[in-house]
C-alpha cells in the first residue's frame, strides 16, 4: 500500500495521535475516508463519461492504457518477443560463426 511498510504505518499512527490528539483523531479519519471515497467516485464518473463519449467501439477502454509507458509496451514491444520464440538460437540463419581463439576478425578498409 503506497510503498509503506508496517513499521512506517505504526509510526504514522503514533504521530497522528500526538498531532491531532485522541479526541479529534476519529473525526479526522472520517473526513479523510470521505475525501477518499469522493475522489474514487470522481475518477469512476470521469472514466464512465469518457467511455460514453467515445462510443461503443471503445467500451473496453482502460484508462491505464493511455499511459505512454504502458502504451509503448503494449503496442510496440509485445510482438518482438514472439518472433524469436519459435526457433532456437542455434538454428537462426543470422547467427555468425565463432572465430577460433586468437584469430582476428576480417577487416574491410572501404567500410569504415
Amino acid at each position: 500500500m503506497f510503498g509503506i511498510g508496517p513499521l512506517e504505518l505504526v509510526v504514522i499512527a503514533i504521530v497522528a495521535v500526538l498531532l491531532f490528539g485522541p479526541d479529534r483523531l476519529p473525526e479526522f479519519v472520517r473526513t479523510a475516508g470521505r475525501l477518499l471515497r469522493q475522489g474514487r467516485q470522481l475518477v469512476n464518473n470521469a472514466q464512465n463519461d469518457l467511455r460514453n463519449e467515445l462510443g461503443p467501439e471503445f467500451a473496453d477502454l482502460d484508462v491505464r492504457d493511455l499511459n505512454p509507458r504502458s502504451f509503448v509496451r503494449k503496442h510496440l514491444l509485445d510482438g518482438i518477443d514472439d518472433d524469436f520464440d519459435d526457433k532456437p538460437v542455434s538454428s537462426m540463419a543470422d547467427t555468425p560463426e565463432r572465430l577460433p581463439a586468437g584469430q582476428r576478425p576480417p577487416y574491410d578498409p572501404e567500410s569504415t
Side-chain angles (χ1 to χ4, degrees):
M1 181 173 94
F2 304 114
I4 298 175
L7 183 60
E8 289 95 358
L9 200 57
V10 169
V11 170
I12 290 172
I14 291 172
V15 169
V17 167
L18 293 175
L19 193 66
F20 297 108
D23 298 335
R24 291 184 17 210
L25 189 60
E27 179 184 337
F28 177 74
V29 171
R30 251 184 306 219
T31 304
R34 189 177 314 119
L35 288 174
L36 184 63
R37 188 171 34 253
Q38 288 175 349
R40 285 183 184 169
Q41 187 177 20
L42 179 71
V43 169
N44 287 337
N45 288 341
Q47 287 179 350
N48 290 335
D49 289 344
L50 183 64
R51 285 188 186 109
N52 290 337
E53 292 295 324
L54 290 175
E57 302 90 36
F58 297 98
D60 60 344
L61 175 70
D62 188 9
V63 178
R64 288 174 282 187
D65 290 339
L66 300 177
N67 182 352
R69 288 182 182 166
S70 61
F71 180 82
V72 169
R73 189 177 304 121
K74 179 179 180 183
H75 294 287
L76 296 179
L77 301 179
D78 279 349
I80 291 176
D81 295 335
D82 298 337
D83 293 342
F84 299 107
D85 290 343
D86 299 357
K87 48 192 168 190
V89 175
S90 61
S91 69
M92 294 179 68
D94 296 337
T95 305
E97 295 182 23
R98 293 194 174 267
L99 295 174
Q103 183 180 356
R104 297 183 67 183
Y107 175 74
D108 185 10
E110 295 178 7
S111 66
T112 56

